[in-house]
Amino acid sequence: MKNETIAFMPGVRGSGAMARYWLQQVTLRLRREVCWLWRERQAQGLPIGADLRPPGASDLPPFVAPALGALDLARYAQDKQVFFAEDITARHLSELLAEPPPDKPEPQRGSFGWVVESLALEPVETFVLGLALLPAVDSAAGAVIASCLNDPGRGEPTLALAQRLWDEPDELLRCFDPAHALLSHGLLAQAAPSWSAPLQMPALVARELMFPAPQSVASWAGRRRLIPVLGAQGAALDAAAAQAAARSGLSLMRASAAPGAEHLRALMTVAWLRGAALYMPLAALAAADVHGHEPGAGSAPLPLPDLPVSLYIGVHERSAIGRLGGEALPAIEVLPASHADRLAAWQAVLPTTADGALLAEAARRFRCETTAIGRIGEELSQLGRAPTADELFAAARADLDLGALAQAVAPRFGLAELMLPPAQTRQVAEVVTAMNNLGRVHQLWGTAKAWNEGGLAALFAGPPGTGKTMASEAIALELKLPMVRIDLSQVVNKYIGETEKNLKRLFDAADAADTILFFDEADALFGKRTEVKDAHDRYANLEISYLLERMERFKGLAILATNRRRDLDEAFLRRLRFVIEFPLPGVPERERIWRGVIPEGVAANELDFEFLAQRFPLAGGHIRAIVFHACLQSAGEGAPRQLTMQAVIRAVQREYAKLERASSLDQYGPYAPLVAAEKAAR
């Protein structure tokens, strides 16, 4: 090219001769059009000085009414051609426009010239591509385009502008098609098939056309391929996709977690330009919803731009593959990280930790994927030394996210504080022993394969207040494991099938680490399967079956507490490792509970613990509530920190009334007159 100026902004060059040529064609035609518009405004009688500009005006012609501008197209058509032939500036621009395109060897893949050749674009189509490219690479072009469009608020080109600038307006009709290759391949974006709709080119695409990246060793030139990559949450699915792409000689591009529809289209186009494969999570594809459909609606296939690209789609559920439609190829399955994989990952991120047993225990306790281990290790490396066991486990637990379905429980009690009969005390100790030995049995004794590294499940059954929650907290404290209470109001959903989804989400997250899941009032979720009378019954039974199966596969400790053991499904009970009955405490246990629940620092020398234990057959939870109520009523301003029998007896009476349980005056012994006076005062 004789004239090296290809854009309005000095220094815009690009790396391809074909791109430079067509950008110059666009720039020259815009300059020539601006020259004509000045002459046209003069012919329209606008107050323009001898130098074709009003005093103080800019270098661009003034705007006129859009209708007038459209009507004057035909009126001044002949004058325009004469002007192009006779005006010295316009004639010079026309001479530059007549230069032929460059004669060069095969263009680099992904370049402007490669696109022209690959899509067999006609000159008018190539011009439209260059017209859309110009404002994407030249920040100064917008004002000139607005002037040629006769609209100060529009700096993006249109097909109408292309028709006006091109010598043969009829040829623009070949571009007026939503299925045109420029649009279907994502090179251009247009909101609607309209002459006045802006022609936009994504910045990623513009950069690729101007500065094409090195292409893959090989390239995919066939039809679009959809390859699901199936694996657990947190698995390195993109790494598996990269390995599969490399085996085909392709490099791999990765989409961000939430790319947005326009960015995703641009990424697919860039992948096609480079001859590369593209990886994206299914969640990102659904969120972007590249064709504007309702995100995540049902299980309908997700429409994708029809580009000859190998797309690796990360999915976490086999059922989700159906959303890719019938063209999806067999899935690449990424197995969960094994204990050996996890141990190797911990050793790699914490090489300064000399305690191999600690890392082995971390690999057993935390069944996260290697990507998560890398993230945790990076945080621990900030310590500048080998982490302690507590620091390592705390960092790993902090990475665990159970969502809104579970609430963390801070254990308040130890095993020594449990007031249980000897048999139940031994059973609770067996649960602790089993959890302490679980990793050793699985990894050293070889049970991991047969039991799939399965955890333990225990049922705590008994009347309210008998210590089921307290025992669960004591186990968590003894094992130094996080305990979470499951919010059944969130898990159990009235919509068919939603309970199963909630449960799956919960168990998938909890399986990543040794965790104690505490299901209170478990009979609401684990009840007997009903006789199938309608669709709701059938789905309810399916949810219970799913629950039984997930409980067997859960790798931590699940504790289910219920007041109504008889309401539980027998098939479920058979699959539990421990079933512990929490009976109402006997007199010796009740006396220990009474003595144990008095707050430290509160004087209780006036209390007759033996009398209270013998006369009132209450569970530990109720005894604790009585003492708390008595404290509230005794802690007046300036009062000594002391509990009296009178205060406790009144609290006992209130608790019986709350429980709607009858009590006789004889039961209160020497305190019967106090109770009688209370009743009479009501």
Side-chain angles (χ1 to χ4, degrees), residues 22-64:
W22 282 102
L23 282 176
Q24 185 184 65
Q25 285 281 308
V26 171
T27 302
L28 292 172
R29 288 178 185 273
L30 286 170
R31 289 184 180 277
R32 191 174 65 170
E33 185 69 13
V34 169
C35 290
W36 161 248
L37 288 175
W38 275 116
R39 178 59 61 86
E40 183 185 56
R41 301 298 187 261
Q42 184 182 40
Q44 291 168 339
L46 294 177
I48 298 176
D51 65 344
L52 301 183
R53 289 181 296 174
S58 68
D59 289 335
L60 296 176
F63 297 97
V64 299

Side-chain angles (χ1 to χ4, degrees), residues 610-629:
E610 184 178 352
F611 173 84
L612 293 170
Q614 289 178 344
R615 294 300 182 99
F616 305 109
L618 293 164
H622 303 312
I623 295 173
R624 190 174 294 107
I626 290 169
V627 172
F628 182 56
H629 182 79

Side-chain angles (χ1 to χ4, degrees), residues 45-292:
L46 294 177
I48 298 176
D51 65 344
L52 301 183
R53 289 181 296 174
S58 68
D59 289 335
L60 296 176
F63 297 97
V64 299
L68 176 62
L71 292 171
D72 283 344
L73 288 175
R75 178 183 177 185
Y76 293 109
Q78 186 62 37
D79 294 343
K80 184 176 184 179
Q81 296 306 314
V82 173
F83 174 78
F84 284 171
E86 297 179 354
D87 180 84
I88 184 172
T89 302
R91 187 171 63 249
H92 174 66
L93 293 172
S94 297
E95 290 173 356
L96 293 176
L97 284 169
E99 290 187 16
D103 183 15
K104 60 178 187 62
E106 180 75 15
Q108 179 181 349
R109 182 185 178 105
S111 66
F112 188 100
W114 179 86
V115 169
V116 172
E117 184 173 304
S118 178
L119 299 182
L121 297 182
E122 295 292 332
V124 64
E125 298 165 319
T126 308
F127 173 73
V128 169
L129 182 64
L131 181 61
L133 175 62
L134 179 65
V137 299
D138 182 1
S139 61
V144 180
I145 291 171
S147 182
C148 293
L149 286 171
N150 191 35
D151 186 341
R154 304 186 65 178
E156 296 175 318
T158 64
L159 285 177
L161 177 61
Q163 190 179 45
R164 184 167 180 170
L165 297 177
W166 193 247
D167 295 332
E168 299 294 335
D170 284 347
E171 293 184 359
L172 265 296
L173 291 174
R174 75 168 57 242
C175 300
F176 200 81
D177 180 2
H180 193 280
L182 293 176
L183 296 169
S184 65
H185 284 69
L187 297 162
L188 303 182
Q190 194 178 32
S194 167
W195 286 109
S196 59
L199 289 173
Q200 299 172 326
M201 178 176 289
L204 288 176
V205 176
R207 184 177 63 190
E208 199 69 22
L209 294 180
M210 293 290 282
F211 302 98
Q215 64 188 64
S216 301
V217 176
S219 61
W220 179 251
R223 297 179 58 189
R224 180 181 67 194
R225 296 195 306 170
L226 299 182
I227 305 102
V229 185
L230 177 63
Q233 290 280 356
L237 303 186
D238 57 340
Q243 292 176 358
R247 287 194 291 271
S248 300
L250 302 176
S251 61
L252 184 76
M253 296 172 52
R254 293 168 172 84
S256 61
E262 295 303 322
H263 186 64
L264 184 55
R265 288 193 189 94
L267 284 173
M268 293 180 67
T269 298
V270 170
W272 165 67
L273 291 172
R274 294 184 183 179
L278 177 63
Y279 170 83
M280 68 187 76
L282 178 63
L285 182 61
D289 196 7
V290 293
H291 280 238

Side-chain angles (χ1 to χ4, degrees), residues 434-590:
M435 280 300 293
N436 279 327
N437 293 338
L438 185 62
R440 188 177 302 106
V441 168
H442 276 331
Q443 305 306 327
L444 300 181
W445 289 38
T447 61
K449 182 177 181 181
W451 293 94
N452 193 27
E453 291 191 73
L456 304 174
L459 176 70
F460 291 178
T466 50
K468 301 183 291 295
T469 302
M470 184 178 182
S472 302
E473 294 183 19
I475 290 172
L477 191 64
E478 183 71 17
L479 293 172
K480 297 182 179 180
L481 291 180
M483 174 179 169
V484 292
R485 182 191 303 272
I486 308 306
D487 186 351
L488 294 181
S489 65
Q490 295 292 321
V491 174
V492 180
N493 195 295
K494 64 181 179 179
Y495 298 106
I496 289 177
E498 288 299 312
T499 301
E500 180 177 321
K501 294 179 183 178
N502 289 337
L503 287 169
K504 182 186 183 308
R505 189 159 52 244
L506 172 66
F507 277 110
D508 284 350
D511 262 340
D514 276 359
T515 306
I516 296 178
L517 295 183
F518 181 71
F519 293 86
D520 202 3
E521 299 181 10
D523 43 276
L525 190 61
F526 300 81
K528 294 180 179 179
R529 283 173 279 194
T530 62
E531 179 183 352
V532 176
K533 297 178 180 178
D534 56 26
H536 286 81
D537 292 337
R538 179 165 58 86
Y539 276 96
N541 288 343
L542 288 175
E543 288 168 352
I544 292 173
S545 298
Y546 173 79
L547 181 59
L548 297 177
E549 184 263 333
R550 281 312 304 260
M551 285 291 295
E552 284 192 330
R553 288 196 286 125
F554 179 54
K555 295 177 173 61
L557 172 60
I559 299 178
L560 300 95
T562 180
N563 304 330
R564 303 191 299 270
R565 175 180 173 178
R566 293 182 179 179
D567 290 347
L568 295 178
D569 193 300
E570 287 299 324
F572 172 73
L573 290 174
R574 288 195 299 269
R575 303 186 188 195
L576 297 172
R577 188 68 50 198
F578 300 93
V579 176
I580 304 177
E581 291 284 352
F582 284 71
L584 285 170
V587 174
E589 289 80 22
R590 289 202 296 270

